[in-house]
Amino acid sequence: MRVLGVDPGLTRCGVGVVEGVAGRPLTMHGVGVVRTPADAELGQRLVAIEQGIEQWLDEYRPEFVAVERVFSQHNVRTVMGTAQASAVAMLCAARRGIPVALHTPSEVKAAVTGNGRADKAQVGAMVTRLLRLDAPPKPADAADALALAICHIWRAPARNRLQQAVALHASKAASQQAPNHASQQAPKGRTA
């Protein structure tokens, strides 16, 4: 499974591509940051992020895109920019028919380090170890993007099994209700 991880941000949008399956060594194919100038208009910044993500999608052809789920912050301006960059990443993937998964920061930290409250240094150190890199990717946004991709690779099998179980349960419930519905109807030709 090849996953493009996106750590959304207006100034620095981290991107990283990881390939592998749960339980096996993972391979990093690329890591970087899509940057936009802080003094540019919002629309121009979003277009720049779109163009950057499109280039990554063209070059690496991921099967999935994992984006950090926007969470509430005290700084509304920061959370708005993060949400806008996140939406651009999801739009780029959706336009190509690539499934998108959203992971919270604590899910990513827990998946990669075993601790949902790990700091950026711990995440960077574990990404370095898991991908057998010489040094942690810089800036931290790039390491976070790789962590998102790793999290998705490791969590996807469990998430898929859960979705299959829910679908199976729903189909069984629907098939059990169908005979009951038919028995409640009055037989033809009889009046009550």
Side-chain angles (χ1 to χ4, degrees), residues 45-105:
R45 296 177 83 182
L46 295 175
V47 167
I49 291 169
E50 178 199 25
Q51 291 170 342
I53 290 173
E54 289 289 348
Q55 288 174 349
W56 279 79
L57 293 172
D58 285 341
E59 184 172 349
Y60 293 101
R61 305 218 179 273
E63 299 164 77
F64 296 91
V65 174
V67 180
E68 182 177 273
R69 182 182 299 273
V70 177
F71 62 98
S72 178
Q73 293 179 343
H74 298 294
N75 186 339
V76 174
R77 186 174 180 186
T78 300
V79 78
M80 287 299 295
T82 303
Q84 291 161 335
S86 177
V88 169
M90 290 187 282
L91 173 68
C92 291
R95 194 172 14 216
R96 293 170 182 246
I98 302 171
V100 176
L102 300 174
H103 299 284
T104 66

Side-chain angles (χ1 to χ4, degrees), residues 49-180:
I49 291 169
E50 178 199 25
Q51 291 170 342
I53 290 173
E54 289 289 348
Q55 288 174 349
W56 279 79
L57 293 172
D58 285 341
E59 184 172 349
Y60 293 101
R61 305 218 179 273
E63 299 164 77
F64 296 91
V65 174
V67 180
E68 182 177 273
R69 182 182 299 273
V70 177
F71 62 98
S72 178
Q73 293 179 343
H74 298 294
N75 186 339
V76 174
R77 186 174 180 186
T78 300
V79 78
M80 287 299 295
T82 303
Q84 291 161 335
S86 177
V88 169
M90 290 187 282
L91 173 68
C92 291
R95 194 172 14 216
R96 293 170 182 246
I98 302 171
V100 176
L102 300 174
H103 299 284
T104 66
S106 59
E107 285 175 338
V108 174
K109 292 172 184 178
V112 174
T113 70
N115 176 2
R117 294 177 179 234
D119 62 24
K120 289 203 177 278
Q122 290 171 308
V123 171
M126 284 306 296
V127 165
T128 302
R129 175 188 266 166
L130 293 168
L131 297 175
R132 301 169 311 281
L133 305 175
D134 295 332
K138 300 282 185 195
D141 309 275
D144 289 348
L146 291 172
L148 275 153
I150 293 167
C151 173
H152 185 71
I153 290 168
W154 286 355
R155 293 178 61 100
R159 183 178 282 187
N160 290 342
R161 284 193 301 274
L162 181 60
Q163 288 172 344
Q164 289 170 351
V166 168
L168 180 63
H169 178 73
S171 69
K172 283 182 180 180
S175 67
Q176 289 174 353
Q177 289 178 354
N180 291 339

